[in-house]
Amino acid sequence: MKLLTFLAIAVLTPAAIAQHQTFTVNPDASEVKMTLKTTHEIVNGTFHVQSGSIAFDRSTAMMSGSIDVLAGSGKTGNDSRDKKMNKDILQVEQHAKVSFEPKSYTGVIAPSGYSTIQITGIFTLLGIPHEIALPVLVDLEGAAATVKAHFVVPYVQWGLKNPSFLIWKADNDVTIDLFLTGQLSK
C-alpha cells in the first residue's frame, strides 16, 4: 500500500506542478498601441510597458499578477498633443501608471502553439478600477511566450476627458492593441 501511495504521488505531483506557471513580461520587447479616431485624422500612439508578471493555473483557470504601463510614456508623433494627453487626459502627475490585473480566464491554454482565451480582470485608469474581459491570443513555444489582445476602452465613460475642441472631434472610445512577449516559468 505504501508503494502504491508513493507511486501515485510521484506520478501526479509533476502534473499538478506543471499546471501552475508564471509569464514574466520582457518590457523592452513589449508595447501597447492605441488608435483614436477623430474627424480629421486617426491618431496612433504607443506606450511603454513598465513591467508585468502573470501567474496562471490551468487546472483552475485562475490568474493573478499585473501588467503595468507608464501613463506618461505615450507618443503620438505630436509633442503638443502628447503634452496635453499627459496633463489633461491621463493626469500623469497624479496617476503614473495604467494597470491590468487578470483574475480568471475561459478557454484552454494549450501546452504549446496558439490558444485563444478570454481574460477577465481589473483595468485601472486614473486610479479607478474597471472590470473588463479581454479576448487574448496566446502563443507558447517552449519557455517563450507572446500575448496579443485587441480591445476597446470606453475612456470617456470611465471618467477621462475627451480631447475634442472646436471642429476637431474625437471618438469617446480608444482602441488598444497589446503585444507582450516574455518567458514562462514553473
Side-chain angles (χ1 to χ4, degrees):
M1 187 65 163
K2 289 182 182 181
L3 179 60
L4 186 58
T5 303
F6 173 76
L7 288 174
I9 291 171
V11 169
L12 296 176
T13 300
I17 292 171
Q19 298 297 316
H20 182 80
Q21 293 185 288
T22 300
F23 170 58
T24 303
V25 174
N26 176 349
D28 295 330
S30 301
E31 70 179 349
V32 177
K33 292 184 178 183
M34 60 137 250
T35 303
L36 177 64
K37 293 180 184 176
T38 73
T39 52
H40 297 293
E41 65 182 325
I42 294 177
V43 177
N44 293 300
T46 58
F47 287 83
H48 177 69
V49 176
Q50 181 180 25
S51 63
S53 179
I54 298 173
F56 62 98
D57 189 326
R58 291 175 194 205
S59 65
T60 65
M62 299 305 294
M63 294 184 143
S64 62
S66 181
I67 304 297
D68 297 322
V69 175
L70 289 173
S73 68
K75 302 289 183 215
T76 66
N78 180 318
D79 290 341
S80 63
R81 177 174 48 218
D82 295 346
K83 185 175 178 180
K84 179 180 172 75
M85 175 177 64
N86 287 335
K87 182 181 178 197
D88 298 336
I89 311 295
L90 296 174
Q91 303 172 20
V92 299
E93 288 188 19
Q94 294 87 11
H95 310 284
K97 73 177 182 176
V98 174
S99 64
F100 178 70
E101 297 178 12
K103 300 297 180 190
S104 64
Y105 70 93
T106 57
V108 176
I109 301 174
S112 66
Y114 290 98
S115 303
T116 301
I117 61 173
Q118 183 160 309
I119 299 175
T120 301
I122 304 299
F123 191 104
T124 301
L125 189 58
L126 293 185
I128 301 169
H130 306 276
E131 187 169 325
I132 190 169
L134 307 177
V136 175
L137 178 65
V138 178
D139 182 20
L140 304 179
E141 299 299 332
T146 59
V147 174
K148 295 178 184 178
H150 176 84
F151 58 100
V152 174
V153 171
Y155 73 96
V156 172
Q157 180 183 339
W158 285 3
L160 279 74
K161 181 179 171 186
N162 185 306
S164 297
F165 65 96
L166 300 174
I167 61 169
W168 189 88
K169 303 295 181 196
D171 283 357
N172 289 331
D173 302 320
V174 63
T175 302
I176 304 294
D177 287 294
L178 176 67
F179 176 76
L180 302 173
T181 186
Q183 296 292 312
L184 282 180
S185 61
K186 295 180 182 184

